[in-house]
Amino acid sequence: MSTTEETVWFITGTSRGIGLEMTRQLLRTPANTVIAACRNPSKADALRSLANGKLHVVALDVVDRESVRKCAEEVTALVGDKGIDYLVNNAGVASGGMDTAYDMDLDVLQQTFQTNVMGPAYVTQCLIPLVEKSRKKVVLNISSALGSNALNIPGAGHLFASYSISKAAMNMLTTKQARGNKKVIVVCMEPGWLKTDLGGPHAALEVSEGVTGVLKVITAVTPENSGQFIDYKGDHLQW
Ligand SMILES: NC(=O)c1ccc[n+]([C@@H]2O[C@H](COP(=O)([O-])OP(=O)(O)OC[C@H]3O[C@@H](n4cnc5c(N)ncnc54)[C@H](OP(=O)(O)O)[C@@H]3O)[C@@H](O)[C@H]2O)c1
């Protein structure tokens, strides 16, 4: 990561987990400005404790379109002509737990879809002019290997249905975003199975390890990577 060129990051879901750790690691590089979006800034103590002059905490609920529009206005005023170098759609839910196609609660499926698919879709629609203005022009959708039809993750098989369906849709959203705008680089990424509230205590990796990988991979992408499904090690995943 360059230590000299100013780089603006916008990340959703930064109150905890991957978004919080991403913010923490990025702020170690003085050239990074991080606009950290979360639902309740006044309650995001861990996030606000990272304040170092390069952190801007903004309110954003990705399922509330008015909130997304307001946030986009605030961010537009904040970044000016610099734009957003990296737009990271990280906020996500897995409220259905280990549900199956036959027992999943359709209200939960709908809420999961609103957060994991409609949220990133609308956030990107509202912020893409700022991404286009920037130097790096990257959109990162934090997806999951569970959204792959081909991989059939051992132990997950028929489970995590509502979550997996939403991440498969996020992957297709990435394809459409990449094909629909050649001025920007859009990728979806599997961050690793990480110890967060969502990943659970038995996850394979510490959140810091996955996030270090995600940042290494995303800061090295080129236009040839647009539309790809990659993991935190830089390996390409089957759809
Ligand atoms: N951990 C893993 O093993 C793993 C693996 C693959 C993919 N992922 C993906 O990585 C992303 C982050 O997951 P995580 O493990 O960090 O989960 P987490 O610890 O549960 O954190 C989820 C974050 O998303 C935010 N969020 C949820 N709904 C939101 C909404 N409507 N608007 C704004 N923010 C919202 C939460 O905010 P509040 O604090 O306000 O609830 C929280 O900051 C998700 O997209 C997840 O699917 C995680």
Side-chain angles (χ1 to χ4, degrees), residues 85-156:
D85 290 284
Y86 294 92
L87 162 55
V88 184
N89 286 307
N90 165 72
V93 290
S95 321
M98 296 170 77
D99 59 359
T100 75
Y102 297 103
D103 69 13
M104 66 184 173
D105 179 329
L106 296 189
D107 291 332
V108 170
L109 174 64
Q110 187 176 36
Q111 287 152 16
T112 306
F113 207 84
Q114 279 169 341
T115 308
N116 296 359
V117 186
M118 294 169 69
Y122 194 54
V123 167
T124 307
Q125 285 182 3
C126 291
L127 292 179
I128 201 72
L130 295 180
V131 178
E132 288 176 358
K133 266 189 187 178
S134 75
R135 201 164 39 83
K136 294 289 186 181
K137 302 181 180 27
V138 175
V139 177
L140 167 59
N141 293 326
I142 300 291
S143 184
S144 169
L146 291 173
S148 165
N149 276 289
L151 287 175
N152 195 9
I153 307 291

Side-chain angles (χ1 to χ4, degrees), residues 97-101 103 146 155-164:
M98 296 170 77
D99 59 359
T100 75
D103 69 13
L146 291 173
H158 64 295
L159 304 174
F160 306 103
S162 52
Y163 179 72
S164 304

Side-chain angles (χ1 to χ4, degrees), residues 13 15-16 18 39 61-62 90 142-143 163 167 194 196 198:
S15 57
R16 52 197 168 94
I18 293 173
R39 280 197 275 207
D61 182 337
V62 302
N90 165 72
I142 300 291
S143 184
Y163 179 72
K167 291 299 188 181
L194 309 181
T196 63
L198 188 149

